[in-house]
Amino acid sequence: MVVASVAVLSVLCSGHPVPGHHHGGGGVFVPLNPHFYDHSCPQMHAIIGAIVAREHAKDPRMAASLLRMHFHDCFVQGCDASVLLDADGSGRFTTEKRSNPNRDSLRGFEVIDEIKAALEHACPHTVSCADIVAVVARDSTVLTGGPGWEVPLGRRDSLTASLSGSNNLIPAPNDSLPTIINKFRNQGLDIVDLVALSGAHTIGDSRCVSFRQRLYGQNNNGQVDRTLNPGYAAQLRARCPASGGDQNLFALDLVSQFRFDNQYYRNILASNALLSSDQILLTQGRETMELVHRFAADQGLFFDQFAKSMVKMGNVLPLTGNAGEIRNNCRRINH
């Protein structure tokens, strides 16, 4: 595990919200703080860490799934555990689990349930689901060989979810670079954050349906993506046909699928990125291209920036103070 530099840690520990962003829950904003549960639930980190490690040992894909859950939570009305809410039959909101980015692909909800049950047993009505998701993302990164960071805490859980937000705000694999930049900017995240956080694709899988157009062109027009290595494309076509096989899984990093490292950026330089949204970091923008080169050459630099950017993303629009609630069950609101 690479420990962030002292300068980075001073930023990580400050727990400041993203500039210009305030939660929408009324009341006074309370800055997030890594020590939020030191007295109310001192065993929180140990309980979460043990369960994440056990699940990771059972399923090496789980770390990437849990890291992705935090992204998909924070990009929709802030880091508020809205992504965990099931449809409740009330008609007050529509679950985000059925959105295009999440349906048939977001997973790991049972791990969050298991952690929540253990924490409710140890420290009832204390630790929020939103904080669980944030800590789990850090633990998943560390377990796969990535950097660690202190997670600012004190988020509370939303009373609503947003299907439309999930469909429209989360970057998609076929988005153009300007669209992706705008989606990050909407969250208070800049181009450095975008390129560093995209590096989470050093672990995990993607489905055939998410990159098929690179192999066969839009609407199967035969216009193969010229920025994809032809040898790699041929390999992908073997299990990702022009139609059918939508859910077939492929490693996002063909070299070190289960290891959190900077290989993702090296793959981009070799035209071996799986998703269009990854390859265009090299081909559609000068600033993003320079960052890809820098992170490919220096894993320590990438790790430091990834940790910084994860803390920054984790500070997007948290509900704090008396806003929202501490859910008893992460899948539903209390009342």
Side-chain angles (χ1 to χ4, degrees):
M1 173 182 137
V2 173
V3 178
S5 68
V6 174
V8 172
L9 281 175
S10 66
V11 174
L12 303 190
C13 296
S14 63
H16 294 309
V18 173
H21 276 223
H22 307 285
H23 69 71
V28 178
F29 180 84
V30 182
L32 301 183
N33 170 4
H35 304 289
F36 189 83
Y37 298 109
D38 282 7
H39 300 294
S40 59
C41 195
Q43 62 272 61
M44 183 267 297
H45 283 293
I47 289 171
I48 294 178
I51 294 173
V52 174
R54 189 169 73 234
E55 294 299 327
H56 173 64
K58 283 197 290 197
D59 176 6
R61 286 181 56 213
M62 189 54 74
S65 299
L66 294 170
L67 179 54
R68 183 170 182 248
M69 189 184 289
H70 188 38
F71 282 84
H72 285 211
D73 182 28
C74 292
F75 268 71
V76 183
Q77 61 186 39
C79 309
D80 62 357
S82 60
V83 73
L84 303 178
L85 289 172
D86 286 337
D88 71 348
S90 70
R92 282 174 295 189
F93 60 83
T94 312
T95 175
E96 294 170 21
K97 294 180 180 181
R98 301 302 300 160
S99 71
N100 294 326
N102 295 341
R103 188 175 60 243
D104 300 327
S105 70
L106 204 65
R107 59 196 287 274
F109 298 111
E110 299 77 12
V111 179
I112 304 299
D113 292 339
E114 187 183 351
I115 291 168
K116 181 61 172 171
L119 288 171
E120 284 302 305
H121 181 73
C123 327
H125 320 303
T126 302
V127 182
S128 69
C129 301
D131 279 343
I132 291 170
V133 172
V135 173
V136 162
R138 187 272 313 275
D139 288 357
S140 296
T141 303
V142 172
L143 276 169
T144 47
W149 59 91
E150 273 200 297
V151 180
L153 300 163
R155 301 167 190 81
R156 288 165 65 85
D157 299 324
S158 72
L159 304 176
T160 61
S162 174
L163 177 68
S164 62
S166 188
N167 275 324
N168 297 318
L169 300 174
I170 296 172
N174 301 330
D175 281 347
S176 68
L177 185 58
T179 296
I180 295 172
I181 289 171
N182 279 333
K183 286 181 175 181
F184 272 78
R185 197 169 282 146
N186 286 341
Q187 309 296 341
L189 300 170
D190 61 26
I191 286 181
V192 178
D193 300 315
L194 186 169
V195 179
L197 292 172
S198 295
H201 287 172
T202 177
I203 55 174
D205 294 297
S206 183
R207 298 172 299 155
C208 166
V209 69
S210 297
F211 59 87
R212 173 181 282 128
Q213 86 292 343
R214 300 190 74 200
L215 304 178
Y216 305 101
Q218 296 292 351
N219 307 315
N220 286 343
N221 66 4
Q223 294 297 309
V224 179
D225 189 333
R226 302 277 171 232
T227 66
L228 180 61
N229 174 350
Y232 184 34
Q235 201 180 315
L236 295 170
R237 277 191 211 99
R239 282 199 311 114
C240 183
S243 62
D246 283 7
Q247 307 300 320
N248 291 355
L249 292 174
F250 296 77
L252 283 161
D253 172 355
L254 76 167
V255 177
S256 54
Q257 179 182 3
F258 299 113
R259 192 167 70 245
F260 198 104
D261 54 23
N262 68 335
Q263 183 63 45
Y264 162 85
Y265 300 101
R266 296 169 182 225
N267 294 341
I268 292 174
L269 293 179
S271 299
N272 283 334
L274 186 60
L275 303 180
S276 169
S277 54
D278 293 328
Q279 194 62 48
I280 61 177
L281 297 177
L282 183 70
T283 58
Q284 287 189 9
R286 176 176 290 278
E287 199 176 345
T288 56
M289 175 193 75
E290 288 171 357
L291 287 161
V292 167
H293 278 279
R294 287 177 64 194
F295 291 152
D298 187 342
Q299 181 165 283
L301 180 72
F302 163 50
F303 278 16
D304 281 356
Q305 186 58 54
F306 186 80
K308 273 192 205 174
S309 294
M310 284 295 288
V311 170
K312 193 170 164 187
M313 184 186 76
N315 263 302
V316 173
L317 292 177
L319 297 167
T320 66
N322 58 6
E325 66 179 10
I326 305 296
R327 283 184 215 144
N328 300 321
N329 176 331
C330 291
R331 293 174 179 266
R332 50 181 177 265
I333 59 176
N334 292 343
H335 304 297

